[in-house]
Amino acid sequence: MQNNLLNLASIAPMAILGGFALLMLAVSLFARTLSYKFYAVITILALALGFGLVFGYNSGIRGLFDVMLVDGIATLSMLIMLAGSIFFIFLSLGARSAHEYHTAEFFVLFLFVLVGYEFMVASENLMMILVGLETGSLALYTLIALHNRARSVEAALKYFIMGALGSGFFAFGAAMFFLSTGSMEISNIAQIAKSSNLQTNVLLFAACSFMIVSIGFKLSLIPFHTWTPDVYEGASSAMAGFLSVVPKIAGFVVAIRLFEALQSIGVQWLNIVLYAVAVATMSLANLMALVQRDVKRMLAFSSVSHAGFVLCAIVIGSTQANAALFTYWILYAVANLGAFAFIWCVRQRRARSLNLKFKTQSPALNLNANDESFISNAKPAFSQNHEPSFAGELNLGASGQNSACDEWSVKASEQNSKASGSNLKAIEPDAEATPFGTETCEPGAKICEQSSKFAARFEHPFEKFDGLIRTHPLFALCAAIFMLSLAGIPPFSVFWGKMYLLSAAVNSGYFALAVIMAVNSALALYYYLRLIVRMFLHEPRKDAELDGSLSAVSVQIKFAVVLASVACVLAPFLVKFLTGAVNNFVFLSGY
């Protein structure tokens, strides 16, 4: 292992990304008219250079006053993060209406996210891990909020609050480890605890408990998962795919370093707790995914379930299990990034204002004490940034209070011009489009009353994809491949990851855990196949907006979706090479 006082090669990947980020920030100050595609290409170039540099590491490297440790699992996790990030940024090249990509700051923050997570995985010093965690997380909160919708801001705030709570637990855990052992290095903590017989020490117990909670938040393990569906729903679909892959692999690397080191010195209760958390995460997340009405929220709970499945590798703790963890996550990343890219293709624009927007064709309707006229039929107008803005707005009440409603169109209205006043009802376009009820707005009301809280609640309900195979067969086939892959159906990608992990469980004597994993894999079939049934066995919906969204998808995004689906199909031919490379990286790390 290479080791000297500084050894700047240990921070070279982070330095490259940070340098490019600062360069783009400086360029944006003086060249404000540059296209966002320029920054996207520069970001991809930085990621590619970082990937090549990391791939060139051939042995463990220590540096930066012995704080950095670039070993096999650090190298492997950085390669996964960089590859997933290249896919994510490539999608931005075809983004025509996603306004967050049109700012240089988005790409600058994105690179700092990766800088933070690379520091996180390339160290076993708890303070450096915390610094990397906070660097990546703070930039990530901002990226989610840049989506600039009400739910995006809400998602960013929820993620920030839960992330801050998790970071606080991590800091307390690190402090207690230092108090009990006098070290911040994970390997030293394990050695000192073993030599001093601290396996049952109260401080060590408290430190481990804090770390379980902190890492549970970051990996969205049950019962620390509550932020996940709302954050994924509020973020853009492409960003949700990124969230489901890159931050979690960083969390898993920290979990491997810490929990397996403690298990190796005889902290037996830790294995029992992780076993229970893994089983609960797999099982309860699957049950929650079964009842979801929205495909994006279903995929959010699916990612929670997959995190529980992968946690089983840390419970097992063998070299085979650790190699299976990384193999599983690579194959899962391909399918899940593709699935979220597909969801991004069918996104539909929403009005950003909190005023009630009518897609009927009517000028502004002002219901005052003196004027209760209603004129229907106004046209939608489109601004320069391609956001739909509607000429017809509803102003309710003499004080000018506006109601807040969602995006459902209004086709008809009722008008009563009697002196006693009038009532206006906003009627859904048809029963199929809003299967959960209607919304009504009364004059003077501050908000719209909904007969069902699910009315206009979801952006991607399952019904939205009815008959997609007939209208857009390419997208339907790709989506079906992604769902079959995530379900673990052979011969698609995730099946091989599950087989390797089940094999590791059986070989290590965890027969009950292997059975639970197999049962949960079978249970997950229902909610994945549900989308396939909708696309292939239902009549197409007359949804001009959805049809227009898919027809307008750029070549770059189509290429990315097709590439991911092809990778899922070719997994049987790629997995042998993949497992060999992963085994070498894990073996070199000594895990």
Side-chain angles (χ1 to χ4, degrees), residues 211-330:
M211 286 299 182
I212 290 172
V213 174
S214 175
I215 294 175
F217 274 120
K218 299 304 177 182
L219 297 179
S220 63
L221 303 175
I222 287 177
F224 317 109
H225 70 290
T226 51
W227 59 271
T228 310
D230 292 335
V231 171
Y232 282 35
E233 187 180 17
S236 68
S237 297
M239 178 57 71
F242 178 84
L243 286 170
S244 69
V245 172
V246 172
K248 288 189 177 182
I249 190 60
F252 278 121
V253 170
V254 175
I256 289 173
R257 295 191 190 279
L258 180 62
F259 294 148
E260 292 192 8
L262 293 172
Q263 290 178 49
S264 68
I265 64 171
V267 185
Q268 298 297 333
W269 66 268
L270 179 60
N271 187 266
I272 297 172
V273 171
L274 293 178
Y275 193 116
V277 171
V279 171
T281 302
M282 282 189 293
S283 306
L284 296 180
N286 274 334
L287 293 176
M288 294 174 192
L290 287 173
V291 298
Q292 296 306 308
R293 300 174 181 268
D294 183 84
V295 174
K296 201 173 179 183
R297 290 180 69 88
M298 179 272 285
L299 288 174
F301 281 108
S302 160
S303 73
V304 175
S305 177
H306 282 283
F309 209 96
V310 171
L311 183 64
C312 294
I314 299 175
V315 174
I316 298 166
S318 64
T319 300
Q320 183 186 4
N322 291 330
L325 183 154
F326 286 101
T327 302
Y328 186 105
W329 204 252
I330 292 170

Side-chain angles (χ1 to χ4, degrees), residues 159-228:
Y159 197 17
F160 170 73
I161 293 169
M162 302 305 288
L165 184 62
S167 299
F169 277 109
F170 192 96
F172 273 108
M176 289 184 178
F177 275 126
F178 184 78
L179 186 62
S180 59
T181 64
S183 177
M184 285 289 184
E185 299 287 332
I186 293 175
S187 58
N188 292 341
I189 289 171
Q191 292 174 4
I192 295 170
K194 184 178 181 179
S195 61
S196 304
N197 294 320
L198 299 177
Q199 290 90 337
T200 57
N201 182 272
V202 175
L203 279 177
L204 196 72
F205 176 85
C208 292
S209 300
F210 278 120
M211 286 299 182
I212 290 172
V213 174
S214 175
I215 294 175
F217 274 120
K218 299 304 177 182
L219 297 179
S220 63
L221 303 175
I222 287 177
F224 317 109
H225 70 290
T226 51
W227 59 271
T228 310

